[in-house]
Amino acid sequence: MSRIGKLPIEIPQGVDVKIEDNVITVKGPKGELKQTLNPSLKVEVEGNEIKVSRHDDERESRAQHGLYRALIHNMVVGVSTGFKKELEIVGVGYRATNKGKDVLELALGYSHVIYMKMPPEVTVEAKTERNKNPLITLESADKQLLGQICAKIRSFRKPEPYKGKGVKFVGEVIRRKSGKSAAAK
């Protein structure tokens, strides 16, 4: 049996869970999320816990068991506490600013400025302090959407290995290379 799949999911105070027609809806103080369930799995709400079980031991069912348990757990955590990711922009002249609540303006060394419109589920805040790298803070109840938006922003200018310039996650370690001069010796 799946080690992750068999763990029950505790429902915190203020979170409402409904299951109807293979769709689970989780509603809480941070928002509402929906997920279509795999028909080979059975999801039950017992008291203040959600339990995921499978009907058979087919390979596909075993693979989906832990996945859907993790997705449901992320939904419960998202609507109760939310998720937060921080991106750091490294490079001279690279900057990020907010244009309203849902537009992020990025200057990443290209001849043009990049404008990125955020979905309504994601809140964005760009901070620039003197003598520090600009920080972009993204918050959302949907972990998948948040990760996708962060990956999109990072893809505009990935960190390069020689000087480390680009958009990276806070705490991410960039594997650095030595340049030409080190190779010639």
Side-chain angles (χ1 to χ4, degrees):
M1 186 134 184
S2 171
R3 284 183 286 172
I4 300 292
K6 68 182 177 184
L7 296 173
I9 303 164
E10 190 174 321
I11 303 171
Q13 199 71 24
V15 175
D16 185 39
V17 179
K18 290 181 185 162
I19 302 167
E20 45 192 44
D21 299 333
N22 267 357
V23 175
I24 185 166
T25 307
V26 182
K27 195 183 288 188
K30 297 270 186 180
E32 178 180 344
L33 296 172
K34 292 183 179 189
Q35 176 71 45
T36 305
L37 299 170
N38 192 322
S40 66
L41 299 175
K42 187 170 114 181
V43 179
E44 299 170 323
V45 178
E46 295 175 3
N48 67 337
E49 286 186 338
I50 302 171
K51 293 188 179 177
V52 181
S53 59
R54 58 181 186 252
H55 298 297
D56 52 35
D57 249 3
E58 296 289 323
R59 184 180 176 95
E60 185 69 23
S61 298
R62 290 195 317 258
Q64 301 294 318
H65 190 193
L67 168 73
Y68 276 94
R69 189 265 178 205
L71 291 175
I72 295 168
H73 180 262
N74 287 341
M75 290 168 63
V76 170
V77 171
V79 298
S80 59
T81 59
F83 293 101
K84 179 179 174 181
K85 290 202 179 199
E86 288 184 322
L87 296 166
E88 182 180 11
I89 301 176
V90 181
V92 177
Y94 291 8
R95 64 183 189 277
T97 52
N98 282 56
K99 292 288 182 190
K101 288 186 175 184
D102 60 345
V103 177
L104 182 66
E105 179 185 313
L106 298 165
L108 299 174
Y110 297 115
S111 61
H112 60 281
V113 177
I114 300 168
Y115 293 98
M116 186 168 178
K117 186 163 171 50
M118 295 291 157
E121 298 91 9
V122 178
T123 59
V124 63
E125 180 189 350
K127 280 194 290 188
T128 305
E129 292 182 26
R130 193 169 164 85
N131 296 330
K132 288 191 178 178
N133 293 328
L135 282 176
I136 303 169
T137 306
L138 297 148
E139 292 184 50
S140 179
D142 191 347
K143 190 174 185 178
Q144 291 174 337
L145 180 65
L146 185 65
Q148 189 175 2
I149 298 291
C150 287
K152 180 70 176 172
I153 293 171
R154 189 175 185 271
S155 74
F156 292 137
R157 178 74 83 177
K158 287 186 181 172
E160 51 94 19
Y162 296 102
K163 291 183 178 178
K165 292 169 34 174
V167 180
K168 66 177 192 138
F169 290 100
V170 171
E172 179 182 2
V173 177
I174 308 300
R175 194 157 164 219
R176 303 294 291 270
K177 291 182 179 178
S178 57
K180 265 193 328 191
S181 61
K185 290 181 182 180

